């Protein structure tokens, strides 16, 4: 996003206005974004390193970390396979109803996280449509790990697909057609031609998908049931500690999530700077 | 190839159409469409009349008003500062610009619960920011004997929603501004337009579709936002209770139909928003091409 700064007087602002605008914009960013980020870490270490370490190594915290990792490890690959399949179907073929399909794929982004959790409660909950059948067969989805995974998949559903669709549309079909005409099979074409072409865009989508999957709160909160040590993810653990006025411990766990956000931002920026052309032109949200 | 696929899609030598589209559709139905269908079914048990009865309940109406009102204010704030940030990031050169550019995405990356507890702590009466507006301070005393309360009031809700929505406006306006043709500006200047009138008459109209799209995206996100709001809101019924929280409350009371009804009302409004956003984006693209 390095637009050439203008030097021509007629098409730029005077120095005072320039400094003024930059000052206000940067101050806004510092107050509204940077200050909260700093505050997370300050609060986490407010009582020193000992209490911080104790808060993140306590058994309930560790089980929350474990559950968060498990949920991300299931939901991200699921959405990865879907993203690649959907992008392949949409980018490589012309068929009826394609733009409607793209709209449907984006749908979870315009649904409140709370509603994303609610729909599964209405489907699988004790009073839900399939509730009685599930109870008969002793299958627990709501207030259990499967519900958390489903809600996470729902909220992160579009991430990888929407990175890959524009990228693969832009790349067209000529390279695949060349490979096929030289005798490669469909799978060979995918692994050796398409995948190398989309790898950075794919990684970019996975990065964003993972950040959301590990950090999701609203949807997961509705389906989890908040059982300590069993159905608590890291964001839910943060909430419980905060509501118990155990602020230092709450911010300690929160700081791990903030660190994840920072790592995500750094990797995302590196991908944008180094492989900007190989990530979809419309990669930015 | 059966007659239907032959008619509905153009032929291609690339294999895998049935596999990829079939899998995508099955996954879409299982994860998204069938669960959303369950929601409509549950709300449908109440009938349109029943849904409306719940929607005009005083507490529900207050929550909807707060959710949509605070989201509108937050999106407006983001419209102004987002445009300013995009402008500074595209047009000016300053040290650390790449880092500043990366930080804009922080609200996308930071889990909402983390943002929630942090903002609540910062804006509380004894917090870093909240204490600046207490009754004992000069700024606070401007707002009366109690000072300006931010956390646990609708103002706190607006602050949280502003945090969440900022990247949408910046990221929508930024590429349009970067692609903006310098010649148009030069032409305006050479014809004697002042910098201000060039901005108002030439640049701003060109940015308006992108700005509106960013505004709408920030607004839509804010309406459904939950995690970053509930800690700072205080969740006082009729005062600072947002609609998504009311859904959770109904669920905890095992009032599934009530929760579904509020959700459907919110979704209906969001659906209209999505439609408007799509139209705006098409309008934007058409203008960009022209």
């Amino acid at each position: 996003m390095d637009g050439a700064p203008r030097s021509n007087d007629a098409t730029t602002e005077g120095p005072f206005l320039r400094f003024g605008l930059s000052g206000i914009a940067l101050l806004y960013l510092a107050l509204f974004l940077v200050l909260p980020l700093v505050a997370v870490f300050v609060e986490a270490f407010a009582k020193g390193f000992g209490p911080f370490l104790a808060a993140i190594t306590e058994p309930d915290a560790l089980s929350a970390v474990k559950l968060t990792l498990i949920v991300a490890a299931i939901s991200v690959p699921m959405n990865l396979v879907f993203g690649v399949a959907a992008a392949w179907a949409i980018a490589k073929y012309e068929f009826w109803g394609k733009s409607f399909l793209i709209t449907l794929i984006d749908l979870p982004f315009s649904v409140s996280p709370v509603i994303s959790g609610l729909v599964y409660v209405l489907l699988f909950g004790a009073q839900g449509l399939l509730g009685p059948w599930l109870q008969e067969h002793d299958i627990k989805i709501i207030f259990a790990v499967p519900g958390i995974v489903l809600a996470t998949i729902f909220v992160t559903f579009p991430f990888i697909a929407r990175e890959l669709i524009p990228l693969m549309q832009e790349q067209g079909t000529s390279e695949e057609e060349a490979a096929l005409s030289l005798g490669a099979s469909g799978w060979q074409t995918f692994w050796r031609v398409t995948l190398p072409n989309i790898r950075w865009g794919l990684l970019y989508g996975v990065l964003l998908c993972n950040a959301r999957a590990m950090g999701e709160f609203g949807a997961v909160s509705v389906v989890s049931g908040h059982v300590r040590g069993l159905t608590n993810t890291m964001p839910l653990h943060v909430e419980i500690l905060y509501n118990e006025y155990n602020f230092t411990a709450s911010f300690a766990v929160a700081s791990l999530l903030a660190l994840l956000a920072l790592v995500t931002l750094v990797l995302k920026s590196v991908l944008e700077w180094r492989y900007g052309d190989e990530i979809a032109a419309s990669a930015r949200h | 190839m059966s007659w239907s696929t032959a008619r509905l899609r153009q032929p291609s030598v690339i294999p895998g159409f049935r596999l990829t589209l079939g899998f995508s559709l099955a996954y879409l139905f299982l994860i998204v469409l069938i669960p959303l269908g369950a929601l409509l079914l549950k709300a449908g048990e109440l009938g349109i009349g029943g849904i409306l009865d719940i929607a005009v309940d005083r507490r529900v109406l207050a929550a909807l008003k707060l959710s949509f009102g605070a989201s509108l204010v937050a999106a407006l704030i983001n419209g102004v500062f987002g445009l300013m940030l995009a402008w500074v990031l595209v047009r000016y050169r300053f040290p650390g610009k790449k880092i500043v550019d990366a930080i804009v995405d922080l609200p996308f990356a930071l889990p909402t619960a983390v943002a929630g507890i942090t903002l609540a702590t910062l804006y509380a009466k004894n917090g870093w920011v909240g204490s600046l507006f207490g009754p004992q301070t000069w700024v606070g005393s401007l707002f009366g004997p109690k000072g300006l309360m931010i956390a646990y009031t609708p103002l706190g809700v607006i602050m949280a929603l502003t945090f969440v929505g900022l990247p949408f406006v910046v990221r929508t306006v930024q590429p349009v501004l970067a692609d903006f043709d310098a010649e148009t500006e030069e032409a305006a200047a050479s014809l004697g337009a002042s910098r201000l009138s060039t901005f108002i008459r030439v640049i701003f109209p060109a940015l308006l579709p992108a700005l509106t799209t960013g505004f709408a995206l920030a607004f839509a996100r804010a309406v459904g936002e939950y995690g970053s709001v509930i800690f700072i809101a205080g969740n006082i019924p009729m005062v600072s209770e947002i609609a998504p929280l009311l859904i959770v409350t109904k669920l905890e009371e095992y009032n599934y139909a009530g929760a579904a009804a509020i959700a459907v009302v919110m979704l209906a409004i969001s659906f209209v928003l999505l439609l408007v956003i799509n139209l705006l984006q098409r309008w934007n693209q058409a203008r960009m091409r022209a």
Side-chain angles (χ1 to χ4, degrees), chain B residues 72-141:
Chain B
L72 186 70
V73 176
L76 284 171
I77 296 173
N78 280 325
V80 174
F81 287 97
L83 174 62
M84 204 185 276
L85 256 170
W87 184 273
V88 168
L89 283 172
V90 172
R91 294 285 175 110
Y92 303 154
R93 187 173 280 173
F94 53 90
K97 183 166 146 172
K98 280 189 165 182
I99 295 170
V100 171
D101 190 61
I103 284 176
V104 169
D105 278 335
L106 180 71
F108 281 153
L110 194 69
T112 55
V114 178
I117 62 166
T118 311
L119 294 175
T121 306
L122 279 177
Y123 290 105
K125 248 191 292 186
N126 53 356
W128 294 356
V129 180
S131 59
L132 299 177
F133 295 92
Q136 69 284 5
T137 65
W138 176 79
V139 196
S141 60

Side-chain angles (χ1 to χ4, degrees), chain A residues 1-6 8-13 17-18 21-22 24-26 28-29 31-40 42-43 75 78-79 81-82 84-86 88-89 92-96 99 101 103-105 107-108 110-115 118-123 125-129 143 150 153-154 157 173 176-177 180 186-187 211-212 215-218 221-222 235 238-239 242-243 250-251 254 257-258 260-262 264-265 268-269 272-273 284-285, chain B residues 8-10 12-17 19-21 23-25 27-28 30-36 38-39 41-42 45 77-78 81 84-85 87-94 97-114 117-123 128-129 152 159 162-163 166-168 171-172 174-175 177-178 180-182 185-186 189 195 221 223-227 230-231 244-245 247-248 251 254 256 259-260 263 266-267 270 274 278 282:
Chain A
M1 212 46 56
D2 230 19
R6 319 289 168 81
N8 190 337
D9 274 345
T11 54
T12 189
E13 293 75 46
L17 189 55
R18 234 185 310 178
L21 278 176
S22 309
I24 295 172
L26 294 181
Y28 183 83
L29 209 66
L31 278 179
F32 281 85
L33 300 192
V34 179
L35 189 68
L37 186 64
V38 172
V40 178
V42 170
E43 295 287 340
S75 50
M78 294 274 290
N79 283 336
V81 173
F82 163 73
V84 172
W88 183 278
K92 305 295 180 198
Y93 310 98
E94 288 304 323
F95 58 92
W96 184 84
S99 58
L101 180 61
T103 307
L104 286 180
I105 289 173
L107 194 60
S110 43
V111 174
S112 168
V114 168
I115 299 177
L118 170 72
V119 292
Y120 291 108
V121 176
L122 295 178
L123 201 57
Q127 298 173 45
L129 292 173
F143 303 151
L150 279 173
I153 292 179
F154 187 106
F157 187 88
T173 54
E176 281 81 6
E177 281 162 5
L180 290 163
W187 284 109
R212 180 70 192 266
E216 179 52 28
F217 175 72
S221 157
V222 170
V238 167
E239 181 200 22
Y242 186 85
N243 287 342
S250 175
F251 276 103
L257 288 168
L260 168 76
L262 280 178
T264 303
L265 280 187
K268 175 176 170 295
S269 302
E272 280 166 10
W273 297 335
R284 306 216 123 162
H285 296 261
Chain B
L8 292 176
R9 77 169 171 106
Q10 289 173 16
S12 163
V13 295
I14 295 174
F17 178 71
L19 177 70
T20 53
L21 188 69
F23 176 77
S24 303
L25 286 177
Y27 192 74
L28 179 70
L30 282 174
I31 298 290
V32 179
L33 298 182
I34 293 175
L36 281 174
L39 171 70
L41 217 63
K42 193 77 196 174
E45 287 173 8
I77 296 173
N78 280 325
F81 287 97
M84 204 185 276
L85 256 170
W87 184 273
V88 168
L89 283 172
V90 172
R91 294 285 175 110
Y92 303 154
R93 187 173 280 173
F94 53 90
K97 183 166 146 172
K98 280 189 165 182
I99 295 170
V100 171
D101 190 61
I103 284 176
V104 169
D105 278 335
L106 180 71
F108 281 153
L110 194 69
T112 55
V114 178
I117 62 166
T118 311
L119 294 175
T121 306
L122 279 177
Y123 290 105
W128 294 356
V129 180
Y152 318 126
M159 299 310 284
T162 308
F163 174 85
L166 180 70
F168 288 99
R171 294 304 183 221
T172 334
Q174 217 173 10
L177 193 55
F180 189 74
D181 195 359
E185 267 174 82
E186 280 161 15
R195 192 60 195 148
R221 166 71 197 263
V223 166
E225 183 55 28
Y226 177 71
I230 54 162
F231 297 99
L245 178 71
I247 295 178
V248 173
L251 262 184
Y254 295 102
Y256 282 22
M266 285 187 65
L267 274 183
S270 298
L274 187 75
N278 273 338
R282 252 176 236 176

Side-chain angles (χ1 to χ4, degrees), chain B residues 130-284:
Chain B
S131 59
L132 299 177
F133 295 92
Q136 69 284 5
T137 65
W138 176 79
V139 196
S141 60
L142 292 176
F143 295 93
K146 281 186 171 173
L148 182 66
M149 295 274 289
I150 303 175
Y152 318 126
T153 69
L155 192 57
V157 177
I158 293 173
M159 299 310 284
L161 295 180
T162 308
F163 174 85
V164 163
L166 180 70
F168 288 99
V169 178
V170 180
R171 294 304 183 221
T172 334
V173 173
Q174 217 173 10
V176 181
L177 193 55
D179 285 346
F180 189 74
D181 195 359
E183 283 172 25
T184 333
E185 267 174 82
E186 280 161 15
S190 72
L191 291 171
S194 73
R195 192 60 195 148
L196 184 66
S197 78
T198 306
F199 178 79
I200 294 174
R201 302 224 184 137
V202 179
I203 304 172
F204 190 74
L207 295 181
L208 193 60
L211 191 61
T212 324
T213 306
F215 169 85
L217 287 170
F219 179 71
R221 166 71 197 263
V223 166
E225 183 55 28
Y226 177 71
S228 57
V229 179
I230 54 162
F231 297 99
I232 198 174
N235 309 324
I236 308 155
M238 308 293 300
V239 177
S240 60
E241 186 179 52
I242 53 165
L245 178 71
L246 206 50
I247 295 178
V248 173
T249 312
K250 297 266 180 211
L251 262 184
E252 280 167 0
E253 294 165 355
Y254 295 102
N255 183 355
Y256 282 22
I262 302 173
V264 163
V265 172
M266 285 187 65
L267 274 183
I269 303 173
S270 298
F271 179 74
V272 174
L273 275 172
L274 187 75
L275 216 67
V276 173
I277 291 170
N278 273 338
L279 286 175
L280 281 172
Q281 268 163 349
R282 252 176 236 176
W283 177 44
N284 199 0

